[in-house]
Amino acid sequence: MSDLAIRTEGFAGCITLSRPKQLNALTHEMCLKIEAALDSWRHEDAVGLVVVDAVGKSFCAGGDIQEMYRKGIAGNFEYGRRYWRDEYRLNAKLARYPKPIVTFLRGYVMGGGVGIGCHASHRIVGESSRIAMPECTIGLVPDVGGSHLLSRSPGHTGEFLAMTGERLEAEDAIYAGFADRFVPEADWPDARRELVASGVTTSVDRNSTDRGKGALARNRADIDRHFKGRTPAAIVASLHDCGDSFARECLKRMSGNSPLSMACACELVRRQRAVDSIEEALDLEFRFVYRSAEWGEFLEGIRARLIERGSRPNWRHSCVADVAEDEIAWFLRPLNELALKWDGAA
């Protein structure tokens, strides 16, 4: 089976991720093929919209980063940087696309899955949807434009989601701005058939329902109280001082994450609030990921979490209070001539 099924059906360009055994993890080649399809349909009058879905129980659980690990431990850091350059260019195109893009976000939607699923114009979630940016568990920061989405989440939920990696169910994803509409998954086949047959988005608009408040909205006051802290260290201190069930759960989720990543992720989300464009947002993220394998903790995170599953990562800091402000600034400083280039990207 091919990793992707790309074709036109009726009045729609259709992209189906087809690596169900790998939870549809996104390879470099898949990014390039999706980009080529979008480019080919951009000016094709017969294509009214684009539909992106997936085979299996999950839309996309992230990028296929084990190859980055193999290259990285051999000293080849350019492979990962090239992957991210191409992936981020795709993320920008998805966000800027002139035709509607409808994504059906079944099951896990994480990391790279957010990048291809959550910048679309019509983002559909259902009962099984679980959306997250858990990059701090592997020594990265929320990227693929995810930190920009987090910066637009209500109050300080962006810092909370970035530092904890909390998974969002359907109603939470809509509240946080990662999705638009809840459509019962039993109705997805009919909605998709109407999209293809009509080339307009009326079917998903009509079939969406209100799920009410989720855990994120219910916990908003607690989130804002703790995660408004001036520094990541102040956030953690506030959680420790409180000690209620919400605070304990946050600390538990953060306990295995990279302190460096959490500190940089918090700063990144806050910087993104002053950023207007998706291109600027991706440029900020690229500053960190460019340095993450050669000088950061990305390779150690992959070793512990994916290669030697169950082992504890040897992070360079024991807690976020040990991460100096100048270290955060170093990882997020401009790349100058190495920065992303956007000429013709969109």
Side-chain angles (χ1 to χ4, degrees):
M1 179 185 291
S2 172
D3 290 346
L4 279 172
I6 296 175
R7 71 279 185 205
T8 56
E9 297 180 23
F11 295 99
C14 300
I15 299 169
T16 301
L17 311 183
S18 305
R19 303 183 74 210
K21 291 183 179 179
Q22 295 82 20
L23 300 181
N24 294 311
L26 196 65
T27 68
H28 189 192
E29 184 180 10
M30 289 167 71
C31 290
L32 296 175
K33 288 181 177 179
I34 293 171
E35 180 184 25
L38 293 175
D39 288 346
S40 71
W41 294 329
R42 177 183 290 266
H43 301 296
E44 190 172 325
D45 292 339
V47 174
L49 53 76
V50 175
V51 174
V52 186
D53 57 11
V55 173
K57 296 181 178 180
S58 287
F59 178 75
C60 176
D64 191 358
I65 53 181
Q66 295 201 31
E67 183 63 19
M68 288 192 200
Y69 176 82
R70 288 189 287 270
K71 300 285 189 184
I73 59 173
N76 178 357
F77 305 113
E78 291 306 314
Y79 173 83
R81 292 163 180 165
R82 185 171 66 254
Y83 177 107
W84 280 312
R85 286 182 189 278
D86 292 336
E87 182 180 25
Y88 288 13
R89 188 177 64 247
L90 171 61
N91 301 148
K93 286 188 176 184
L94 287 161
R96 297 287 194 191
Y97 205 63
K99 299 178 180 182
I101 299 178
V102 183
T103 53
F104 288 92
L105 305 176
R106 186 192 308 277
Y108 291 127
V109 185
M110 299 182 181
V114 168
I116 59 170
C118 297
H119 296 302
S121 61
H122 293 68
R123 304 162 297 177
I124 310 306
V125 286
E127 297 88 342
S128 70
S129 300
R130 300 292 183 272
I131 300 177
M133 297 298 297
E135 283 76 8
C136 289
T137 65
I138 57 169
L140 283 179
V141 295
D143 69 326
V144 296
S147 68
H148 194 56
L149 294 172
L150 291 171
S151 75
R152 271 58 180 168
S153 296
H156 293 279
T157 55
E159 289 96 327
F160 164 73
L161 294 170
M163 295 178 72
T164 65
E166 178 81 2
R167 294 176 183 177
L168 301 172
E169 297 187 7
E171 53 270 44
D172 298 321
I174 294 171
Y175 180 77
F178 281 72
D180 302 299
R181 296 164 176 80
F182 176 89
V183 176
E185 290 176 27
D187 295 337
W188 286 13
D190 287 342
R192 188 187 180 284
R193 277 192 289 270
E194 288 189 44
L195 288 167
V196 167
S198 67
V200 296
T201 61
T202 309
S203 61
V204 293
D205 295 331
R206 185 180 64 249
N207 292 331
S208 62
T209 60
D210 183 6
R211 292 276 286 185
K213 285 187 176 182
L216 195 66
R218 292 195 300 271
N219 291 326
R220 170 72 185 281
D222 287 330
I223 290 170
D224 287 351
R225 176 159 56 98
H226 296 297
F227 286 84
K228 70 180 180 182
R230 189 184 68 81
T231 65
I235 291 171
V236 173
S238 177
L239 293 167
H240 276 293
D241 290 344
C242 177
D244 64 11
S245 59
F246 172 79
R248 290 195 303 271
E249 184 61 27
C250 288
L251 292 169
K252 179 181 177 182
R253 288 186 174 279
M254 295 161 66
S255 63
N257 293 351
S258 160
L260 172 64
S261 290
M262 288 192 290
C264 289
C266 183
E267 174 66 15
L268 182 59
V269 168
R270 290 175 174 181
R271 289 195 191 188
Q272 294 281 18
R273 293 194 174 112
V275 168
D276 293 325
S277 74
I278 187 66
E279 291 84 5
E280 290 177 275
L282 291 162
D283 180 73
L284 272 174
E285 295 172 348
F286 189 66
R287 297 177 187 184
F288 184 94
V289 301
Y290 182 93
R291 300 176 171 107
S292 62
E294 188 170 2
W295 298 292
E297 298 181 306
F298 175 57
L299 297 181
E300 173 58 15
I302 296 302
R303 178 202 65 77
R305 303 300 189 196
L306 296 180
I307 306 301
E308 301 173 16
R309 291 181 183 271
S311 66
R312 190 168 182 83
N314 297 311
W315 304 130
R316 66 181 62 168
H317 302 289
S318 61
C319 62
V320 293
D322 294 340
V323 183
E325 289 187 12
D326 60 353
E327 188 174 6
I328 299 171
W330 187 86
F331 273 94
L332 296 178
R333 79 187 197 278
L335 289 166
N336 300 321
E337 70 277 2
L338 298 173
L340 295 174
K341 305 294 190 296
W342 297 109
D343 292 345

